[in-house]
Amino acid sequence: MNEARAGSRNLRDDAPVRAATGAALRLVAAMPRLVLEARRVAASVFHGLHGRRRAGPGENFWQYRRFMSGEPASRVDWRRSARDEHLYVREQEWEAAHTVWLWPDRSPSMAFRSQLAQDSKLDRCLVVAFALAEILVQAGERVGMPGLMRPTGSRNVLDKMANAIVHDVTERPSLPPAFAPSALAEIVVVSDFWSPMTELRKTFSQLSSTGAHGHTVQIVDPAEETFPYSGRVEFIEPEGAGSVTAGRAEAWKADFQTRVALHRAEIRAEADKLGWSFAIHRTDRQATELLLALHARMGAPPPGAVTAGRVTMSGQRGRHT
């Protein structure tokens, strides 16, 4: 009897290891398909796109922006400023590649896929990250993954990313590890963002502390928005927080959607405060929609820049894609 109990306990202790091994093997098996899909998506998005333009050292004109208090008067372009009552500075296009840090969330919650979607959140997250990396490298940028891969501009960036992810044996957290990106870097965090707001605020604050600009993309399954459940349903938290059973799941729908909306509003407010972008992407939509919108946001001029005669404003909000 004692031996039987001990054996049962050992089986229970081994369950998390078996689950993690199974998840790793499924990811390895799926990786070639995800890389091919990412290349296909990147090719369709990259067609017609150009390298992202920004201010910095270079010979080519980029844009005019408003003169800021404290700048040397020698920077004022008096010919352009004579056209109206404002002072403007002429900026050149930055010709040096800069670094974009990508963080695809690979935590257990990302494995979820309902009957309303063909892809799991993890599969879509990796396709988006891989395709974005391909687009950025073709545009002359360098791409890295915090804690997994140093920035590279290599043409085989997808293979490097896939190998780094497949051979990663560490715990898979929902949010990026603490690191110090340069002030000129950009950060793209692709996650379901169901972490507590205290953790999200701490992460965003740390990542933005050096002045780096960021973009947040929430990947969700359509069931996580529509809550299509009814009757007796057991909901299991995939990251070890247990489970809860609803006798009449349909009665939870309104409260669930209210909490989702509140959580998103808090994420958006935090992103707006930092000057970051926030977008929502459902796995029943095309990945190309998200990538086109994300590429446009990453290439957008900074607040106060004059483009086509208009002054851009901060705090622009991401759309549902």
Side-chain angles (χ1 to χ4, degrees):
M1 183 67 69
N2 291 336
E3 292 179 358
R5 280 200 294 267
S8 298
R9 186 165 56 251
N10 288 335
L11 289 174
R12 287 196 298 271
D13 291 345
D14 289 342
V17 176
R18 292 199 305 273
T21 301
L25 291 175
R26 286 192 296 272
L27 181 59
V28 170
M31 194 60 73
R33 173 180 60 83
L34 298 179
V35 169
L36 287 175
E37 174 66 9
R39 287 200 169 103
R40 183 193 67 79
V41 171
S44 64
V45 171
F46 192 79
H47 180 70
L49 293 180
H50 301 283
R52 298 183 303 131
R53 304 176 67 188
R54 65 192 63 81
E59 298 179 355
N60 299 320
F61 169 73
W62 178 35
Q63 66 178 8
Y64 290 108
R65 65 165 175 82
R66 293 275 184 87
F67 175 77
M68 300 177 63
S69 177
E71 290 188 277
S74 59
R75 300 199 62 185
V76 174
D77 187 292
W78 296 107
R79 178 175 297 181
R80 172 62 182 87
S81 302
R83 299 178 189 175
D84 55 42
E85 68 276 13
H86 299 292
L87 297 178
Y88 294 97
V89 172
R90 180 186 179 93
E91 289 190 325
Q92 306 303 110
E93 182 179 355
W94 189 32
E95 297 177 351
H98 86 320
T99 298
V100 179
W101 292 97
L102 302 180
W103 177 258
D105 180 357
R106 297 170 294 123
S107 62
S109 69
M110 296 297 288
F112 177 68
R113 180 182 70 85
S114 73
Q115 296 180 348
L116 302 178
Q118 293 185 343
D119 296 332
S120 69
K121 293 188 292 182
L122 176 61
D123 284 359
R124 180 57 58 86
C125 177
L126 291 175
V127 166
V128 168
F130 290 161
L132 182 58
E134 181 87 346
I135 293 169
L136 292 170
V137 166
Q138 288 190 47
E141 312 287 14
R142 300 167 67 244
V143 172
M145 291 190 296
L148 288 176
M149 186 183 80
R150 295 177 62 84
T152 178
S154 171
R155 292 295 180 179
N156 64 340
V157 63
L158 266 65
D159 295 331
K160 291 180 177 292
M161 291 177 68
N163 284 331
I165 289 173
V166 165
H167 292 97
D168 179 28
V169 296
T170 61
E171 182 183 1
R172 298 178 176 180
S174 300
L175 298 171
F179 76 109
S182 71
L184 296 177
E186 284 185 271
I187 307 162
V188 181
V189 183
V190 187
S191 170
D192 58 12
F193 288 115
W194 296 135
S195 302
M197 275 308 302
T198 52
E199 296 181 13
L200 294 177
R201 289 192 184 96
K202 180 180 178 181
T203 298
F204 294 164
S205 175
Q206 192 279 320
L207 294 178
S208 64
S209 61
T210 59
H213 188 54
H215 307 272
T216 54
V217 179
Q218 186 181 42
I219 302 287
V220 294
D221 187 278
E224 294 177 312
E225 288 195 329
T226 61
F227 200 79
Y229 306 108
S230 61
R232 184 179 178 83
V233 179
E234 181 184 15
F235 297 96
I236 301 174
E237 208 288 322
E239 299 188 12
S243 64
V244 61
T245 300
R248 294 179 60 251
E250 63 272 20
W252 290 21
K253 183 173 183 176
D255 287 343
F256 174 85
Q257 292 179 325
T258 298
R259 290 176 66 91
V260 168
L262 177 61
H263 186 68
R264 283 177 171 170
E266 291 180 314
I267 297 174
R268 194 185 298 280
E270 193 67 21
D272 284 349
K273 184 174 70 175
L274 298 173
W276 288 23
S277 70
F278 174 62
I280 301 166
H281 176 71
R282 282 174 37 157
T283 54
D284 59 344
R285 303 293 296 272
Q286 294 296 318
T288 51
E289 297 178 16
L290 170 63
L291 286 164
L292 284 168
L294 185 57
H295 186 276
R297 293 186 186 110
M298 295 179 70
V306 178
T307 306
R310 297 181 179 180
V311 180
T312 60
M313 304 299 291
S314 61
Q316 295 177 346
R317 297 183 174 185
R319 298 178 180 177
H320 289 257
T321 56

